[in-house]
Amino acid sequence: MAQMDQLYKTSFSEWVRSEDNINYVCTMKGNMIREALLDDREACIYGLRWMSANYSVPSFAEMMLKLFYSMGMASSRFVSILHDLTVDWQHEKIIDLLSVILVGEKPVSVSNFVKHWIYYSGWKRDDMAELLLSLKEAMRWNQSYCKELLTELVFLLIRNGVAQRSLMMVIEDELKEQDDLSIRGKSLAFTLAKKHSIDTFVLIFELIYQESCT
């Protein structure tokens, strides 16, 4: 592309990397990009990373949604593409991105996204807990949303029926009638959590994650 610009005295490489032209590129060349992803995924990912290298987080989110939203936010394919495009990003930047991409999504969609993100990213418990807490605060998830999300995660991440029932009891007991999701459980773990100001939602997720690894 740089050679083309030099040969024809153009600045297309600069134009195609400009955030101002995201809408045109994604709308007019979206089908071509999606077809290229099927034909040569590695080259297409490389090209998209080059194109979006200087994008702000909101602009990158715009590109992702305009190109790949039709795949479904909760699909394995969408998450794998997102991971490959952000593989060298700092965790904090990825968390900022996901706070934009997942806004307005229902618990079932977010839970499936989380499942796939754990698989592709390899993020451990603390990283995922930080992500979910950031999403909860950024999107102001209420008690009902958090409860539904945790319930979905129990059945997505855990196969053992006894463990599922045990964790569902924890969710029911600890999130019952807690408008602010404060800690009020009687178990030792939740008493300690209260002492150290650990968010109930995060603590339950950590239990789910830990159980999924056994």
Side-chain angles (χ1 to χ4, degrees), residues 9 15 34 36 52 68 72 88-89 104 112 115 123 132 140 143 145 148 156 167 173 179 202-204 206:
K9 308 301 182 188
W15 182 90
R34 287 184 286 272
S52 62
F68 306 119
D88 59 348
W89 287 24
N112 275 281
K115 173 189 173 182
W123 282 19
L132 285 174
R140 299 182 179 180
Q143 175 189 350
Y145 190 105
E148 186 176 347
L156 281 173
L167 285 163
D173 289 344
D179 293 336
V202 171
L203 183 59
I204 296 176
E206 289 179 342

Side-chain angles (χ1 to χ4, degrees), residues 125 158 204-214:
R125 184 190 67 183
I158 297 172
I204 296 176
F205 170 75
E206 289 179 342
L207 292 175
I208 295 171
Y209 187 101
Q210 181 176 331
E211 183 61 38
S212 73
C213 295
T214 59

Side-chain angles (χ1 to χ4, degrees), residues 72-83:
M73 301 287 289
S75 70
S76 174
R77 191 178 175 205
F78 179 92
V79 178
S80 69
I81 293 169
L82 181 63
H83 170 259

Side-chain angles (χ1 to χ4, degrees), residues 35-214:
E35 288 174 6
L37 193 64
L38 293 174
D39 294 336
D40 190 342
R41 180 188 174 95
E42 185 176 352
C44 186
I45 292 294
Y46 181 86
L48 288 172
R49 290 180 68 183
W50 170 82
M51 185 179 79
S52 62
N54 297 317
Y55 283 4
S56 65
V57 167
S59 291
F60 186 90
E62 180 185 356
M63 180 194 75
M64 281 297 303
L65 295 176
K66 287 183 174 177
L67 284 177
F68 306 119
Y69 185 79
S70 60
M71 294 179 180
M73 301 287 289
S75 70
S76 174
R77 191 178 175 205
F78 179 92
V79 178
S80 69
I81 293 169
L82 181 63
H83 170 259
D84 288 350
L85 291 174
T86 60
V87 68
D88 59 348
W89 287 24
Q90 294 293 321
H91 282 197
E92 292 77 10
K93 187 177 179 181
I94 292 175
I95 290 173
D96 288 343
L97 172 65
L98 298 186
S99 296
V100 177
I101 284 181
L102 295 174
V103 67
E105 293 295 313
K106 295 181 179 180
V108 64
S109 179
V110 174
S111 61
N112 275 281
F113 183 97
V114 167
K115 173 189 173 182
H116 296 312
W117 187 258
I118 291 173
Y119 176 79
Y120 287 110
S121 70
W123 282 19
K124 302 304 181 184
R125 184 190 67 183
D126 290 348
D127 295 321
M128 291 304 304
E130 181 185 0
L131 168 61
L132 285 174
L133 179 59
S134 296
L135 293 177
K136 171 178 174 279
E137 293 176 345
M139 301 186 207
R140 299 182 179 180
W141 290 340
N142 59 24
Q143 175 189 350
S144 176
Y145 190 105
C146 290
K147 187 174 181 180
E148 186 176 347
L149 176 57
L150 290 170
T151 299
E152 293 286 348
L153 287 171
V154 166
F155 292 103
L156 281 173
L157 300 180
I158 297 172
R159 293 289 175 261
N160 183 284
V162 175
Q164 287 178 345
R165 289 190 291 273
S166 176
L167 285 163
M168 286 305 301
M169 289 178 62
V170 171
I171 292 172
E172 289 295 331
D173 289 344
E174 300 301 330
L175 299 187
K176 191 174 184 179
E177 297 179 359
Q178 296 183 55
D179 293 336
D180 60 351
L181 292 183
S182 59
I183 303 288
R184 68 178 194 136
K186 297 181 179 179
S187 67
L188 175 61
F190 283 90
T191 301
L192 291 173
K194 179 179 180 180
K195 180 179 178 181
H196 295 287
S197 301
I198 300 174
D199 187 280
T200 310
F201 171 74
V202 171
L203 183 59
I204 296 176
F205 170 75
E206 289 179 342
L207 292 175
I208 295 171
Y209 187 101
Q210 181 176 331
E211 183 61 38
S212 73
C213 295
T214 59

